[in-house]
Amino acid sequence: MDLNSDLGEGFGAWKMGDDEAMLDIVTSANIACGFHAGDPSVMRRVCDLAAGRGVAIGAHVGYHDLAGFGRRALDIAPDELADEVLYQIGALDAFARAAGSRVTYVKPHGALYNTAAVDVEQAAAIVDGLRRYDPALALLCLPDSEMQRQAEKAGVVTYAEAFADRAYTADGKLVSRKKPGAVLHDADLVAKRAVGMATGGVVTADGTKLELRPDSLCVHGDTPGAVELARRIEAALTEAGVQLGAFTG
């Protein structure tokens, strides 16, 4: 089972999360590419840290929205979105290769992730940008989403993701961050959910039983107490006999 986190989300003088501590725990790092967060120096530093630890590097592409941290949906033409995805992957891959590694997958961020999960045009644009850079890159996304369908249609390998620290709706989507309880902070609960997700168990969401079979579990780097949550998840998975390892090489 892969354990991933959104990292490199500081910008200039603004620090977000503890990238170094998280990289001692996770097996894959979704690194911001400068559009929703991150800047060249942050990207270089986090790529260096990830490469030095053997952590897989993914391009965490988002809307061009630093002020809104990429959590505001933008009405953007598909061709323009594909270009922006291509631009972001290329920028991060330059730093990854300079660190002796490379980008092996793409994971959209925030509002782009949520929109492309249900919007055919935006999902196809993400896949288009990915393929134009390197069709061998994988796409990390919600299972049974438009992103997964458009990627599979284009011959792009997908991996299913589940969120240990996020609440789900009855239809398997993420609860909006605007609603109370959308982000989970109880370490015991999050660790228990992670084991359930990883072992094919069920997760209760809105009173509905959901069966999730993810290839990767995410703990958000900007969640308060994220490092402790990640440590608890790692320990719980190990205790349950779940071997951790990146889904890409």
Coordinates of all heavy atoms in Angstrom, one line a residue, residues 26-103:
V26 N 6.0 9.0 4.3 CA 5.3 8.6 3.1 C 6.2 7.9 2.1 O 7.4 8.0 2.2 CB 4.6 9.9 2.5 CG1 3.7 10.5 3.5 CG2 5.7 10.9 2.0
T27 N 5.5 7.3 1.2 CA 6.2 6.6 0.1 C 6.1 7.3 -1.2 O 6.8 7.0 -2.2 CB 5.7 5.1 -0.1 OG1 4.3 5.1 -0.2 CG2 6.1 4.3 1.2
S28 N 5.1 8.3 -1.3 CA 5.0 9.1 -2.5 C 4.7 10.5 -2.1 O 3.9 10.7 -1.1 CB 3.8 8.6 -3.4 OG 4.1 7.3 -3.9
A29 N 5.2 11.5 -2.8 CA 5.1 12.9 -2.5 C 4.4 13.6 -3.7 O 5.0 13.6 -4.8 CB 6.4 13.5 -2.1
N30 N 3.2 14.2 -3.4 CA 2.6 15.0 -4.5 C 3.1 16.4 -4.2 O 2.7 17.1 -3.3 CB 1.1 15.0 -4.3 CG 0.6 13.6 -3.9 OD1 0.9 12.6 -4.5 ND2 -0.2 13.5 -2.8
I31 N 4.0 16.9 -5.1 CA 4.7 18.2 -4.9 C 4.0 19.3 -5.7 O 3.9 19.1 -6.9 CB 6.2 18.1 -5.2 CG1 6.8 17.0 -4.3 CG2 6.9 19.4 -5.0 CD1 8.3 16.7 -4.6
A32 N 3.6 20.4 -5.0 CA 3.0 21.5 -5.7 C 4.0 22.1 -6.8 O 5.2 22.1 -6.6 CB 2.7 22.6 -4.7
C33 N 3.4 22.5 -7.9 CA 4.1 22.9 -9.1 C 4.2 24.4 -9.3 O 4.5 24.8 -10.5 CB 3.6 22.2 -10.3 SG 3.5 20.4 -10.1
G34 N 3.8 25.2 -8.3 CA 3.9 26.7 -8.5 C 2.6 27.4 -8.9 O 2.6 28.6 -8.9
F35 N 1.5 26.6 -9.2 CA 0.3 27.3 -9.6 C -0.6 27.5 -8.4 O -1.1 28.6 -8.2 CB -0.4 26.5 -10.6 CG 0.0 26.8 -12.0 CD1 1.3 27.2 -12.3 CD2 -0.9 26.8 -13.1 CE1 1.7 27.6 -13.6 CE2 -0.5 27.2 -14.4 CZ 0.8 27.5 -14.6
H36 N -0.9 26.5 -7.6 CA -1.7 26.7 -6.4 C -0.9 27.0 -5.2 O -1.3 27.5 -4.2 CB -2.7 25.5 -6.1 CG -2.0 24.3 -5.5 ND1 -1.3 23.4 -6.3 CD2 -1.8 23.9 -4.2 CE1 -0.8 22.4 -5.5 NE2 -1.1 22.8 -4.2
A37 N 0.4 26.6 -5.2 CA 1.3 26.7 -4.1 C 2.7 26.3 -4.7 O 2.9 25.8 -5.8 CB 1.0 25.9 -2.9
G38 N 3.7 26.6 -3.8 CA 5.1 26.3 -4.2 C 5.7 27.4 -5.0 O 5.1 28.2 -5.6
D39 N 7.0 27.3 -5.1 CA 7.8 28.2 -5.9 C 9.1 27.5 -6.3 O 9.3 26.4 -5.8 CB 8.1 29.6 -5.2 CG 8.9 29.4 -4.0 OD1 9.8 28.5 -3.9 OD2 8.8 30.3 -3.0
P40 N 9.9 28.0 -7.2 CA 11.1 27.2 -7.6 C 12.0 26.7 -6.5 O 12.4 25.6 -6.5 CB 11.8 28.2 -8.5 CG 10.7 29.1 -9.1 CD 9.8 29.2 -8.0
S41 N 12.2 27.6 -5.5 CA 13.1 27.1 -4.4 C 12.5 26.0 -3.6 O 13.1 25.1 -3.2 CB 13.5 28.3 -3.5 OG 14.3 29.3 -4.3
V42 N 11.2 26.2 -3.3 CA 10.5 25.1 -2.6 C 10.4 23.8 -3.4 O 10.7 22.7 -2.8 CB 9.0 25.6 -2.3 CG1 8.2 24.4 -1.7 CG2 9.0 26.7 -1.3
M43 N 10.2 23.9 -4.7 CA 10.1 22.7 -5.5 C 11.5 22.0 -5.5 O 11.6 20.8 -5.4 CB 9.7 23.1 -6.9 CG 8.3 23.6 -7.0 SD 7.9 24.5 -8.5 CE 8.0 23.3 -9.8
R44 N 12.6 22.8 -5.6 CA 13.9 22.2 -5.6 C 14.2 21.5 -4.3 O 14.7 20.4 -4.3 CB 15.0 23.3 -5.9 CG 16.4 22.7 -5.8 CD 17.4 23.8 -5.7 NE 17.2 24.7 -4.6 CZ 17.5 24.4 -3.4 NH1 18.0 23.2 -3.0 NH2 17.2 25.3 -2.4
R45 N 13.9 22.2 -3.2 CA 14.2 21.7 -1.9 C 13.4 20.4 -1.6 O 14.0 19.4 -1.2 CB 13.9 22.7 -0.8 CG 14.2 22.2 0.6 CD 13.9 23.3 1.6 NE 12.5 23.6 1.6 CZ 11.5 22.9 2.3 NH1 11.8 21.9 3.0 NH2 10.3 23.3 2.2
V46 N 12.2 20.4 -1.9 CA 11.3 19.2 -1.6 C 11.7 18.0 -2.6 O 11.7 16.9 -2.1 CB 9.8 19.5 -1.7 CG1 9.0 18.3 -1.4 CG2 9.5 20.6 -0.7
C47 N 12.0 18.3 -3.8 CA 12.5 17.3 -4.7 C 13.8 16.7 -4.2 O 14.0 15.4 -4.3 CB 12.6 17.8 -6.2 SG 11.1 18.0 -7.1
D48 N 14.7 17.5 -3.8 CA 16.0 17.0 -3.2 C 15.7 16.1 -2.0 O 16.3 15.0 -1.9 CB 16.9 18.2 -2.8 CG 17.5 18.9 -3.9 OD1 17.4 18.4 -5.1 OD2 18.1 20.0 -3.7
L49 N 14.8 16.5 -1.1 CA 14.5 15.7 0.1 C 13.9 14.4 -0.3 O 14.2 13.3 0.2 CB 13.6 16.5 1.0 CG 14.2 17.7 1.7 CD1 13.1 18.5 2.4 CD2 15.3 17.3 2.7
A50 N 12.9 14.4 -1.3 CA 12.2 13.2 -1.7 C 13.2 12.2 -2.4 O 13.2 11.0 -2.1 CB 11.1 13.6 -2.6
A51 N 14.0 12.8 -3.3 CA 15.0 11.9 -4.0 C 16.0 11.3 -3.0 O 16.3 10.1 -3.2 CB 15.7 12.7 -5.0
G52 N 16.4 12.0 -2.0 CA 17.4 11.5 -1.1 C 16.8 10.4 -0.2 O 17.6 9.6 0.3
R53 N 15.5 10.3 -0.1 CA 14.8 9.3 0.7 C 14.2 8.2 -0.1 O 13.6 7.3 0.4 CB 13.7 10.0 1.6 CG 14.3 10.8 2.7 CD 13.2 11.8 3.2 NE 13.6 12.4 4.5 CZ 14.5 13.5 4.5 NH1 15.0 13.9 3.4 NH2 14.8 14.0 5.7
G54 N 14.3 8.3 -1.4 CA 13.7 7.3 -2.3 C 12.2 7.4 -2.4 O 11.6 6.4 -2.7
V55 N 11.7 8.5 -2.1 CA 10.2 8.7 -2.1 C 9.8 9.1 -3.6 O 10.5 10.0 -4.2 CB 9.8 9.9 -1.2 CG1 8.3 10.2 -1.3 CG2 10.1 9.5 0.3
A56 N 8.8 8.4 -4.1 CA 8.3 8.7 -5.5 C 7.8 10.1 -5.6 O 7.2 10.7 -4.6 CB 7.2 7.7 -5.9
I57 N 8.1 10.8 -6.7 CA 7.7 12.2 -6.9 C 6.5 12.3 -7.9 O 6.6 11.8 -9.0 CB 8.9 13.0 -7.4 CG1 9.9 13.1 -6.3 CG2 8.4 14.4 -7.8 CD1 11.2 13.8 -6.8
G58 N 5.4 13.0 -7.5 CA 4.3 13.2 -8.3 C 4.1 14.7 -8.5 O 4.3 15.5 -7.6
A59 N 3.6 15.1 -9.7 CA 3.3 16.5 -10.0 C 1.9 16.8 -9.5 O 0.9 16.2 -10.0 CB 3.4 16.8 -11.5
H60 N 1.8 17.6 -8.5 CA 0.5 18.0 -7.9 C 0.0 19.3 -8.6 O 0.2 20.4 -8.1 CB 0.7 18.3 -6.4 CG -0.5 18.2 -5.5 ND1 -1.6 17.4 -5.9 CD2 -0.9 18.8 -4.4 CE1 -2.5 17.5 -5.0 NE2 -2.1 18.4 -4.1
V61 N -0.6 19.1 -9.7 CA -1.0 20.2 -10.6 C -2.4 20.8 -10.1 O -3.2 20.1 -9.6 CB -1.2 19.7 -12.0 CG1 0.2 19.1 -12.5 CG2 -2.3 18.6 -12.2
G62 N -2.5 22.1 -10.3 CA -3.7 22.7 -9.8 C -4.1 23.9 -10.7 O -3.4 24.2 -11.6
Y63 N -5.2 24.5 -10.3 CA -5.6 25.8 -11.0 C -4.6 26.8 -10.7 O -3.9 26.8 -9.6 CB -7.0 26.2 -10.5 CG -8.1 25.4 -11.0 CD1 -9.1 24.9 -10.1 CD2 -8.3 25.2 -12.4 CE1 -10.2 24.2 -10.5 CE2 -9.4 24.4 -12.8 CZ -10.4 23.9 -11.9 OH -11.4 23.2 -12.3
H64 N -4.4 27.8 -11.6 CA -3.5 28.9 -11.4 C -4.2 29.9 -10.4 O -4.8 30.9 -10.8 CB -3.2 29.6 -12.7 CG -1.9 30.3 -12.7 ND1 -1.4 30.9 -13.8 CD2 -1.0 30.6 -11.7 CE1 -0.2 31.5 -13.5 NE2 0.0 31.3 -12.2
D65 N -4.1 29.6 -9.1 CA -4.8 30.3 -8.1 C -4.1 30.3 -6.7 O -4.5 29.6 -5.8 CB -6.2 29.7 -7.9 CG -7.1 30.4 -6.9 OD1 -6.9 31.6 -6.7 OD2 -7.9 29.7 -6.3
L66 N -3.0 31.0 -6.7 CA -2.2 31.1 -5.4 C -3.0 31.7 -4.3 O -3.0 31.2 -3.2 CB -0.9 31.9 -5.6 CG 0.3 31.3 -6.3 CD1 1.4 32.3 -6.6 CD2 0.8 30.1 -5.5
A67 N -3.8 32.8 -4.6 CA -4.5 33.4 -3.5 C -5.6 32.5 -2.9 O -5.8 32.6 -1.7 CB -5.2 34.7 -4.1
G68 N -6.2 31.6 -3.7 CA -7.2 30.7 -3.2 C -6.7 29.3 -2.9 O -7.4 28.4 -2.6
F69 N -5.3 29.2 -2.9 CA -4.7 27.9 -2.7 C -5.3 26.8 -3.6 O -5.3 25.6 -3.2 CB -4.9 27.5 -1.2 CG -4.0 26.4 -0.7 CD1 -2.6 26.4 -0.9 CD2 -4.5 25.2 -0.1 CE1 -1.8 25.4 -0.5 CE2 -3.7 24.2 0.3 CZ -2.3 24.3 0.1
G70 N -5.7 27.1 -4.7 CA -6.3 26.2 -5.7 C -7.5 25.5 -5.2 O -7.9 24.5 -5.8
R71 N -8.2 26.1 -4.3 CA -9.5 25.4 -3.8 C -10.7 26.2 -4.3 O -11.8 25.9 -3.8 CB -9.4 25.4 -2.2 CG -8.4 24.3 -1.8 CD -8.4 24.1 -0.3 NE -7.5 23.0 0.1 CZ -7.0 22.9 1.3 NH1 -7.2 23.8 2.2 NH2 -6.2 21.8 1.5
R72 N -10.5 27.0 -5.3 CA -11.7 27.7 -5.9 C -11.8 27.2 -7.4 O -10.8 27.2 -8.1 CB -11.5 29.2 -5.9 CG -11.3 29.8 -4.5 CD -11.2 31.3 -4.5 NE -9.9 31.7 -5.2 CZ -9.5 33.0 -5.1 NH1 -10.2 33.9 -4.4 NH2 -8.4 33.3 -5.7
A73 N -12.9 26.7 -7.8 CA -13.1 26.2 -9.1 C -13.0 27.3 -10.1 O -13.6 28.4 -9.9 CB -14.5 25.5 -9.2
L74 N -12.3 27.1 -11.2 CA -12.1 28.1 -12.2 C -12.8 27.7 -13.5 O -12.7 26.5 -13.9 CB -10.6 28.4 -12.5 CG -9.8 29.0 -11.3 CD1 -8.4 29.3 -11.7 CD2 -10.5 30.2 -10.7
D75 N -13.4 28.6 -14.2 CA -14.0 28.3 -15.6 C -12.9 28.5 -16.6 O -12.6 29.6 -17.0 CB -15.2 29.2 -15.8 CG -15.9 28.9 -17.1 OD1 -15.6 27.8 -17.7 OD2 -16.7 29.7 -17.6
I76 N -12.2 27.4 -17.0 CA -11.1 27.5 -17.8 C -11.3 26.6 -19.1 O -11.8 25.5 -18.9 CB -9.8 27.1 -17.1 CG1 -8.5 27.2 -18.0 CG2 -9.9 25.8 -16.4 CD1 -7.2 27.0 -17.2
A77 N -10.9 27.1 -20.2 CA -11.1 26.3 -21.5 C -10.2 25.1 -21.4 O -9.1 25.1 -20.9 CB -10.7 27.2 -22.7
P78 N -10.7 23.9 -21.9 CA -10.0 22.7 -21.8 C -8.6 22.8 -22.4 O -7.6 22.2 -21.9 CB -10.8 21.7 -22.6 CG -12.2 22.2 -22.4 CD -12.1 23.7 -22.4
D79 N -8.4 23.4 -23.6 CA -7.1 23.5 -24.2 C -6.1 24.3 -23.3 O -4.9 23.9 -23.2 CB -7.2 24.3 -25.5 CG -7.8 23.4 -26.6 OD1 -7.9 22.2 -26.4 OD2 -8.1 23.9 -27.7
E80 N -6.6 25.4 -22.6 CA -5.8 26.1 -21.7 C -5.4 25.3 -20.5 O -4.2 25.4 -20.0 CB -6.5 27.4 -21.3 CG -5.6 28.3 -20.5 CD -6.4 29.6 -20.1 OE1 -7.5 29.9 -20.6 OE2 -5.8 30.4 -19.3
L81 N -6.3 24.5 -20.0 CA -6.1 23.7 -18.8 C -5.0 22.6 -19.2 O -4.1 22.4 -18.4 CB -7.4 23.1 -18.3 CG -7.2 22.1 -17.1 CD1 -6.6 22.8 -16.0 CD2 -8.6 21.5 -16.8
A82 N -5.1 22.0 -20.3 CA -4.2 21.0 -20.8 C -2.8 21.6 -20.8 O -1.8 21.0 -20.4 CB -4.6 20.4 -22.1
D83 N -2.7 22.9 -21.4 CA -1.4 23.5 -21.4 C -0.8 23.8 -20.1 O 0.4 23.6 -19.8 CB -1.5 24.9 -22.2 CG -1.8 24.7 -23.7 OD1 -1.5 23.6 -24.2 OD2 -2.2 25.6 -24.3
E84 N -1.7 24.2 -19.1 CA -1.2 24.5 -17.8 C -0.8 23.2 -17.0 O 0.2 23.3 -16.3 CB -2.3 25.2 -17.0 CG -2.6 26.6 -17.5 CD -3.5 27.5 -16.6 OE1 -4.0 26.9 -15.7 OE2 -3.6 28.7 -16.9
V85 N -1.5 22.1 -17.3 CA -1.0 20.8 -16.7 C 0.3 20.4 -17.3 O 1.2 20.1 -16.5 CB -2.1 19.8 -17.0 CG1 -1.5 18.4 -16.6 CG2 -3.4 20.0 -16.2
L86 N 0.5 20.5 -18.6 CA 1.8 20.2 -19.2 C 2.9 21.1 -18.7 O 4.0 20.6 -18.3 CB 1.6 20.4 -20.7 CG 2.9 20.3 -21.6 CD1 3.5 18.9 -21.5 CD2 2.6 20.6 -23.0
Y87 N 2.6 22.4 -18.5 CA 3.6 23.3 -18.0 C 4.1 22.9 -16.6 O 5.3 22.9 -16.3 CB 3.0 24.7 -18.0 CG 3.8 25.9 -17.5 CD1 4.5 26.7 -18.4 CD2 3.9 26.2 -16.1 CE1 5.3 27.8 -18.0 CE2 4.7 27.2 -15.7 CZ 5.4 28.0 -16.6 OH 6.1 29.1 -16.2
Q88 N 3.1 22.6 -15.7 CA 3.4 22.3 -14.3 C 4.2 21.0 -14.2 O 5.1 20.9 -13.4 CB 2.1 22.2 -13.5 CG 1.4 23.5 -13.3 CD 0.1 23.4 -12.6 OE1 0.0 23.3 -11.4 NE2 -1.0 23.4 -13.3
I89 N 3.8 20.0 -15.0 CA 4.6 18.7 -14.9 C 6.0 19.0 -15.4 O 7.0 18.5 -14.7 CB 3.9 17.7 -15.9 CG1 2.5 17.3 -15.4 CG2 4.8 16.4 -15.9 CD1 1.8 16.5 -16.4
G90 N 6.2 19.7 -16.4 CA 7.6 20.0 -16.9 C 8.4 20.7 -15.9 O 9.6 20.4 -15.8
A91 N 7.8 21.7 -15.3 CA 8.5 22.5 -14.3 C 9.0 21.6 -13.1 O 10.2 21.7 -12.7 CB 7.6 23.6 -13.7
L92 N 8.1 20.8 -12.6 CA 8.5 19.9 -11.5 C 9.5 18.9 -11.9 O 10.5 18.6 -11.2 CB 7.3 19.3 -10.8 CG 7.6 18.5 -9.5 CD1 8.0 19.4 -8.4 CD2 6.4 17.6 -9.1
D93 N 9.3 18.3 -13.1 CA 10.2 17.3 -13.5 C 11.6 17.8 -13.7 O 12.6 17.0 -13.5 CB 9.7 16.7 -14.8 CG 10.4 15.3 -15.1 OD1 10.6 14.5 -14.2 OD2 10.6 15.1 -16.3
A94 N 11.8 19.1 -14.0 CA 13.1 19.6 -14.1 C 13.9 19.6 -12.8 O 15.0 19.2 -12.7 CB 13.1 21.1 -14.6
F95 N 13.1 19.9 -11.7 CA 13.8 19.9 -10.4 C 14.0 18.4 -9.9 O 14.9 18.1 -9.3 CB 12.9 20.6 -9.4 CG 13.0 22.1 -9.6 CD1 11.9 22.8 -10.1 CD2 14.1 22.8 -9.3 CE1 11.9 24.2 -10.3 CE2 14.1 24.2 -9.5 CZ 13.1 24.9 -10.0
A96 N 13.0 17.5 -10.3 CA 13.1 16.1 -9.9 C 14.4 15.5 -10.6 O 15.1 14.8 -9.9 CB 11.9 15.4 -10.3
R97 N 14.6 15.8 -11.9 CA 15.7 15.2 -12.6 C 17.0 15.8 -12.1 O 18.0 15.1 -12.0 CB 15.5 15.4 -14.1 CG 14.4 14.6 -14.7 CD 14.2 14.7 -16.1 NE 13.1 13.9 -16.6 CZ 13.2 12.6 -17.0 NH1 14.4 12.1 -17.0 NH2 12.2 11.9 -17.4
A98 N 17.0 17.1 -11.7 CA 18.2 17.7 -11.2 C 18.6 17.1 -9.8 O 19.8 17.1 -9.4 CB 18.0 19.2 -11.0
A99 N 17.6 16.5 -9.1 CA 17.8 15.8 -7.9 C 18.2 14.4 -8.1 O 18.4 13.6 -7.1 CB 16.6 16.0 -7.0
G100 N 18.2 13.9 -9.3 CA 18.5 12.5 -9.6 C 17.3 11.6 -9.6 O 17.4 10.4 -9.5
S101 N 16.1 12.2 -9.7 CA 14.9 11.4 -9.7 C 14.1 11.8 -10.9 O 14.6 12.4 -11.9 CB 14.1 11.6 -8.4 OG 12.9 10.8 -8.4
R102 N 12.8 11.6 -10.9 CA 11.9 12.0 -12.0 C 10.5 12.0 -11.5 O 10.1 11.4 -10.5 CB 12.1 11.1 -13.2 CG 11.6 9.7 -13.0 CD 12.0 8.8 -14.2 NE 11.6 7.4 -13.9 CZ 10.5 6.9 -14.2 NH1 9.5 7.6 -14.8 NH2 10.2 5.6 -13.9
V103 N 9.6 12.7 -12.2 CA 8.2 12.7 -11.9 C 7.6 11.4 -12.5 O 7.9 11.0 -13.7 CB 7.4 13.9 -12.6 CG1 5.9 13.6 -12.5 CG2 7.8 15.2 -11.8

